[in-house]
Amino acid sequence: MTDTPASADLETERFQTVRVDLGSRSYDIVIGRGLLEEAGARIAAVKPGARLAVITDETVAKLHLDAFSKSLSEAGLDYVVLKVPAGEASKRFELFERLCDDVLAARLERGDAVVALGGGVVGDLAGFVAASVRRGMSFIQVPTTLLAQVDSSVGGKTGINSRHGKNLIGAFHQPDLVLADTAILDTLPLRDFRAGYAEVAKYGLLGDEPFFTWLEDNWQAVFAGGPERDEAVARSCQAKADVVAEDEHEAGRRALLNLGHTFGHSLESA
Ligand code: GLY
């Protein structure tokens, strides 16, 4: 993990950067408290001149859209906002179709970017829109749940659900940038924080005993916020980045990251 300056104007001291190493499709995951304030500047540094379609849900919009929009405007970025209802039911064909049409109606081109501002549902849905419109647009993830920050926003899995099961329609489409503001998690219901924490613990269980032990000593501080939370998110993202760099399309080792998911998804379907 390094503190890599993205541009001279950006504050790098407060934030950690994890690189996902995928050759010409490599990208940074930037992590830290208060990152939303400079999201616009960071997006502009990675995608200069791009127009944006910000896809978010009603719940996240109420809490964070004003701050996010302000930072986009301050960076001189041109954007449209597309909202979907909160919840898993939004990962369906009808909304996917509507969003694709809305992005085209806004006249965004392939080099423009779809931005996911939300949790795993918004990230998966927006990512699949980005993968599909004009055969693949740029994509930026701004995950707002712990689960999305440590798992679903990283690694390029995108998609929607089918009546045959969860995540059965989609594409691998890597983002160009992931911005994980850990202060946003202060507004997350405890139940959702715990769901994300299970993914953090997963990285310890998958072969990183020192991290698992560290979590046993520091979990309260991770829940409370502060540097331990940033550390837990960064170490989780590094673990995931290592696996994705080795097995992007889940031909082998990446399947380990589904620990708990397969059972959980079946339970949800039932
Ligand atoms: N959530 C598991 C993976 O991204 O591979």
Side-chain angles (χ1 to χ4, degrees), residues 47 50-51 108-113 134 136-138:
K47 294 293 307 170
R51 297 177 63 231
L108 268 69
E109 302 291 336
R110 189 178 288 155
D112 293 328
R134 299 192 188 277
M137 296 176 59
S138 296

Side-chain angles (χ1 to χ4, degrees), residues 66-82:
D66 283 352
F68 187 64
S69 305
K70 184 167 173 274
S71 114
L72 297 183
S73 300
E74 281 170 359
L77 290 165
D78 182 18
Y79 62 91
V80 292
V81 176
L82 306 173

Side-chain angles (χ1 to χ4, degrees), residues 37-261:
E37 283 165 30
E38 55 176 66
R42 286 188 178 265
I43 292 169
V46 171
K47 294 293 307 170
R51 297 177 63 231
L52 311 175
V54 179
I55 299 182
T56 190
D57 72 33
E58 311 280 0
T59 306
V60 173
K62 276 192 199 102
L63 292 167
H64 306 297
L65 187 58
D66 283 352
F68 187 64
S69 305
K70 184 167 173 274
S71 114
L72 297 183
S73 300
E74 281 170 359
L77 290 165
D78 182 18
Y79 62 91
V80 292
V81 176
L82 306 173
K83 288 187 204 166
V84 298
E88 187 71 25
S90 285
K91 273 176 63 172
R92 64 173 199 271
F93 267 120
E94 293 82 350
L95 276 174
F96 169 72
E97 182 184 3
R98 196 196 83 196
L99 289 168
C100 289
D101 278 339
D102 288 351
V103 170
L104 289 168
R107 298 184 185 279
L108 268 69
E109 302 291 336
R110 189 178 288 155
D112 293 328
V114 173
V115 180
L117 174 70
V121 167
V122 164
D124 285 4
L125 178 63
F128 190 36
V129 171
S132 308
V133 174
R134 299 192 188 277
R135 298 197 180 93
M137 296 176 59
S138 296
F139 179 42
I140 291 160
Q141 286 268 23
V142 186
T144 58
T145 64
L146 180 58
L147 192 145
Q149 292 189 354
V150 298
D151 185 30
S152 58
S153 71
V154 176
K157 279 187 181 174
T158 73
I160 56 174
N161 302 326
S162 143
R163 63 192 166 84
H164 297 283
K166 211 169 140 80
N167 298 331
L168 290 180
I169 298 149
F172 286 95
H173 187 66
Q174 298 293 342
D176 296 283
L177 177 69
V178 180
L179 297 174
D181 183 341
T182 49
I184 280 183
L185 306 181
D186 295 344
T187 60
L188 202 62
L190 185 58
R191 192 173 194 277
D192 293 336
F193 196 94
R194 285 188 181 133
Y197 188 79
E199 297 296 328
V200 175
K202 173 183 84 177
Y203 295 109
L205 287 171
L206 288 176
D208 188 349
E209 196 181 336
F211 183 43
F212 196 78
T213 307
W214 182 88
L215 286 171
E216 287 195 316
D217 294 337
N218 291 284
W219 67 268
Q220 279 157 317
V222 174
F223 274 71
E228 291 84 358
R229 180 185 290 171
D230 293 2
E231 188 60 23
V233 172
R235 285 176 76 160
S236 300
C237 287
Q238 185 66 63
K240 180 145 189 187
D242 290 346
V243 174
V244 168
E246 184 188 312
D247 179 22
E248 182 182 3
H249 294 116
E250 200 173 278
R253 187 172 164 221
R254 182 164 180 173
L256 287 175
L257 297 179
N258 298 332
L259 179 72
H261 290 211

Side-chain angles (χ1 to χ4, degrees), residues 1-74:
M1 281 158 267
T2 53
D3 291 332
T4 314
S7 108
D9 299 336
L10 302 174
E11 265 201 69
T12 55
E13 297 291 309
R14 285 188 293 152
F15 305 121
Q16 300 196 51
T17 302
V18 172
R19 184 90 176 149
V20 183
D21 204 353
L22 287 167
S24 61
R25 290 173 299 112
S26 297
Y27 56 95
D28 285 342
I29 307 161
V30 189
I31 298 148
R33 288 190 82 83
L35 190 53
L36 208 61
E37 283 165 30
E38 55 176 66
R42 286 188 178 265
I43 292 169
V46 171
K47 294 293 307 170
R51 297 177 63 231
L52 311 175
V54 179
I55 299 182
T56 190
D57 72 33
E58 311 280 0
T59 306
V60 173
K62 276 192 199 102
L63 292 167
H64 306 297
L65 187 58
D66 283 352
F68 187 64
S69 305
K70 184 167 173 274
S71 114
L72 297 183
S73 300
E74 281 170 359

